[in-house]
Amino acid sequence: MSVPLHFVVKTRLVEVVEGLGEGAALPPERVLAKEFGVSRWTMRQAIRELIADGRLRARQGQGTFVATPKLVQPLALVSYTEALRAQGHTPAREVVDFDELAADAVLAEKLGIAEGEPVHRLERVLFADGQPIGLETTYLAVERFPTLKEVLDPTGSLYRCLTDQLGVRFGEGEELVETVIATPREAELLKATQSLPMLLLHRTSRDTTGRPIEAVRSLYRGDRVGFRATLRP
Amino acid sequence: MSVPLHFVVKTRLVEVVEGLGEGAALPPERVLAKEFGVSRWTMRQAIRELIADGRLRARQGQGTFVATPKLVQPLALVSYTEALRAQGHTPAREVVDFDELAADAVLAEKLGIAEGEPVHRLERVLFADGQPIGLETTYLAVERFPTLKEVLDPTGSLYRCLTDQLGVRFGEGEELVETVIATPREAELLKATQSLPMLLLHRTSRDTTGRPIEAVRSLYRGDRVGFRATLRP
DNA sequence: AAGTGGTCTAGACCACTCC
DNA sequence: GAGTGGTCTAGACCACTTG
């Protein structure tokens, strides 16, 4: 048993998947388990890994289907909308929350303000071709952008609003990427199942004078999205 | 049951973990399950997620322990050794394989050679402070670097060898980041458990004339490593 | 030998979707 | 109502580490 059974099943299941076209339906878990001669738990373990790898997609009450390839998002200070459109996809946003709160120590540090000062919080679900792929939460100091709530169309591009209407000039930024497991709330907003690995991206942007503009926390579905960075020596 | 039981358990377990110090041992799974009044499966699900999040670390036959914070690796064309040392950690490498093979279509395309031509493959496990954190596989065209096998100390820095001894000057590079599930072989080399989410990084480097140098596939343990990128507008 | 985490089974019920 | 994926239980055995 040095190689777990569920991996053997996964390997054989990959061959089945490759024999099917994108979007094709797989037989039900219970049927597959019987065909492969394993328990449903083992079958689900194999399927879960193929879902995490982005090769399958499960829809409760409907079935499991062969997935389309992952999207690739640039790790760059560009508009989400433009980046996606450039790849031939249809972007969309949905506002979950747009309110104010008091900065905790970590957030205050990132935004260069004192703890307890008010910050805007804009939380939006990002879509590509009608499918939710990410949850983006942006924090900006109220002191620095007092008119944001009147000026910004929350369904539009924040980046455009800041540069075009508020005269902000983006300078350097720093991004951190890691994998995490989504909370139930996040999974629900992204229409994902529990315990799916996500890509968590933390960004802090500064203007050309080095002053902090925003702190962003973006959670992307690991089964649907990857990142691309262009490196300069 | 809109919130899964294992998440409730996870939330309560986090509080327990926060009350302990780094490296402290958790009670055995069976004991925790009984204390929380859930089955061992549910307990393991909660623990597995905390492991994926990098907050716990399981060692078979020993127990489960509170983990140390994740490392942060730069997404940049710099030496792995130097990057790690700059953060106060001790780097090491272990050669798994150093041989030649014929390029398949994808690899040939990346390296700018014809399919079937020979390429060097150097596969190494990367360590930080004695712990395996990544598996790096580098491919270079034999035609371009015919003396590599004689010149390179495979336990040393490839980057240094190329720049200092072979006169290569690195230009632009492109990196792709995504999450995947490790194969049993990869998991074993990284001393990780099955079905742990990994960060997969694909890099192709070019010299200052735009000619391909190397194709690299790096698999990092998602529970121990994150990436940092500095953005320029 | 004892105790730990890792894998697997058989069976149950829930939540959701479609007919 | 029937069928799907999602969660959970109780119990078993395996693989590994330590005394």
Side-chain angles (χ1 to χ4, degrees):
Chain A
M1 196 204 290
S2 77
V3 173
L5 183 55
H6 65 78
F7 183 78
V8 177
V9 171
K10 181 184 178 184
T11 307
R12 289 170 58 195
L13 190 55
V14 165
E15 293 168 17
V16 173
V17 169
E18 282 172 347
L20 298 170
E22 275 180 21
L26 239 65
E29 291 173 352
R30 290 162 176 86
V31 173
L32 283 171
K34 191 159 285 185
E35 277 181 11
F36 282 81
V38 298
S39 73
R40 196 178 153 211
W41 185 92
T42 305
M43 198 68 234
R44 275 182 66 77
Q45 182 68 23
I47 291 173
R48 142 189 289 191
E49 294 196 7
L50 285 177
I51 290 172
D53 284 339
R55 308 201 57 162
L56 291 178
R57 191 161 305 175
R59 285 199 285 268
Q60 186 168 170
Q62 295 182 43
T64 307
F65 306 86
V66 181
T68 52
K70 289 185 185 181
L71 294 173
V72 179
Q73 282 279 95
L75 280 180
L77 292 169
V78 297
S79 158
Y80 161 78
T81 314
E82 288 165 20
L84 219 53
R85 249 196 274 273
Q87 294 173 69
H89 296 282
T90 308
R93 292 188 193 82
E94 192 174 282
V95 178
V96 178
D97 229 334
F98 190 12
D99 55 4
E100 283 184 24
L101 52 80
D104 63 22
V106 177
L107 189 53
E109 155 77 26
K110 285 183 182 173
L111 293 177
I113 59 177
E115 194 177 337
E117 284 197 30
V119 293
H120 298 289
R121 175 178 62 183
L122 176 58
E123 191 174 31
R124 303 189 284 188
V125 177
L126 309 176
F127 295 83
D129 305 321
Q131 303 288 323
I133 61 162
L135 176 65
E136 185 182 82
T137 315
T138 310
Y139 301 90
L140 305 103
V142 172
E143 180 192 24
R144 171 141 193 213
F145 303 106
T147 64
L148 188 70
K149 220 151 189 172
E150 290 85 60
V151 174
L152 175 68
D153 165 18
T155 64
S157 167
L158 173 62
Y159 182 83
R160 278 216 162 287
C161 175
L162 290 173
T163 53
D164 296 354
Q165 299 183 56
L166 296 174
V168 173
R169 290 169 57 201
F170 278 81
E172 280 213 339
E174 191 183 66
E175 285 192 324
L176 271 140
V177 183
E178 62 177 330
T179 68
V180 295
I181 304 295
T183 64
R185 174 178 178 270
E186 292 165 342
E188 194 182 344
L189 285 169
L190 294 174
K191 293 190 173 56
T193 61
Q194 286 300 139
S195 62
L196 183 74
M198 302 270 176
L199 281 170
L200 176 60
L201 195 149
H202 268 110
R203 179 172 71 216
T204 54
S205 315
R206 294 166 179 279
D207 63 21
T208 47
T209 69
R211 205 172 154 209
I213 299 170
E214 54 167 12
V216 188
R217 178 188 190 274
S218 302
L219 192 72
Y220 287 91
R221 292 185 57 148
D223 59 338
R224 297 201 186 161
V225 182
F227 295 120
R228 185 207 323 274
T230 300
L231 307 172
R232 284 167 277 187
Chain B
M1 198 202 290
S2 77
V3 172
L5 182 54
H6 65 78
F7 183 78
V8 177
V9 171
K10 181 185 178 184
T11 308
R12 288 170 57 194
L13 190 55
V14 165
E15 292 168 17
V16 173
V17 169
E18 282 172 348
L20 299 170
E22 275 180 20
L26 240 66
E29 291 174 352
R30 291 163 176 84
V31 173
L32 283 172
K34 189 160 286 184
E35 278 181 12
F36 282 81
V38 299
S39 73
R40 193 176 157 213
W41 185 91
T42 305
M43 198 69 234
R44 276 181 66 76
Q45 182 68 23
I47 291 173
R48 140 186 290 192
E49 294 197 7
L50 286 177
I51 289 172
D53 285 339
R55 308 201 59 163
L56 291 178
R57 190 161 305 176
R59 284 199 285 266
Q60 186 168 169
Q62 295 183 44
T64 307
F65 306 85
V66 181
T68 51
K70 290 186 185 180
L71 294 173
V72 179
Q73 283 278 95
L75 279 181
L77 292 171
V78 297
S79 159
Y80 161 78
T81 314
E82 288 166 20
L84 219 53
R85 248 196 275 274
Q87 295 173 69
H89 296 281
T90 308
R93 293 189 193 81
E94 192 172 284
V95 178
V96 178
D97 228 334
F98 190 13
D99 56 3
E100 283 183 24
L101 52 81
D104 63 20
V106 176
L107 189 53
E109 155 77 25
K110 286 183 181 173
L111 293 177
I113 59 177
E115 195 176 337
E117 283 197 30
V119 293
H120 298 290
R121 176 180 59 184
L122 176 58
E123 191 174 31
R124 304 189 284 189
V125 177
L126 309 176
F127 295 82
D129 305 321
Q131 303 288 323
I133 60 161
L135 176 65
E136 185 181 80
T137 315
T138 309
Y139 300 91
L140 305 103
V142 171
E143 180 192 27
R144 172 142 194 209
F145 303 105
T147 63
L148 188 70
K149 220 151 188 169
E150 289 86 60
V151 174
L152 175 68
D153 165 18
T155 64
S157 168
L158 173 62
Y159 181 84
R160 279 216 162 286
C161 174
L162 290 173
T163 52
D164 295 355
Q165 298 182 59
L166 297 175
V168 174
R169 290 169 57 202
F170 279 80
E172 279 213 339
E174 190 183 67
E175 285 192 325
L176 270 140
V177 183
E178 61 178 329
T179 67
V180 295
I181 305 294
T183 64
R185 174 178 179 272
E186 293 165 342
E188 194 181 344
L189 284 169
L190 294 175
K191 294 191 172 58
T193 61
Q194 287 299 140
S195 63
L196 183 74
M198 303 272 178
L199 281 170
L200 176 60
L201 194 148
H202 269 109
R203 179 171 70 217
T204 55
S205 314
R206 295 166 178 279
D207 63 19
T208 47
T209 69
R211 207 172 152 208
I213 300 169
E214 55 167 12
V216 188
R217 178 189 190 275
S218 302
L219 192 71
Y220 287 91
R221 291 186 55 148
D223 59 339
R224 296 201 186 161
V225 181
F227 295 121
R228 188 206 322 273
T230 301
L231 308 172
R232 284 167 278 186

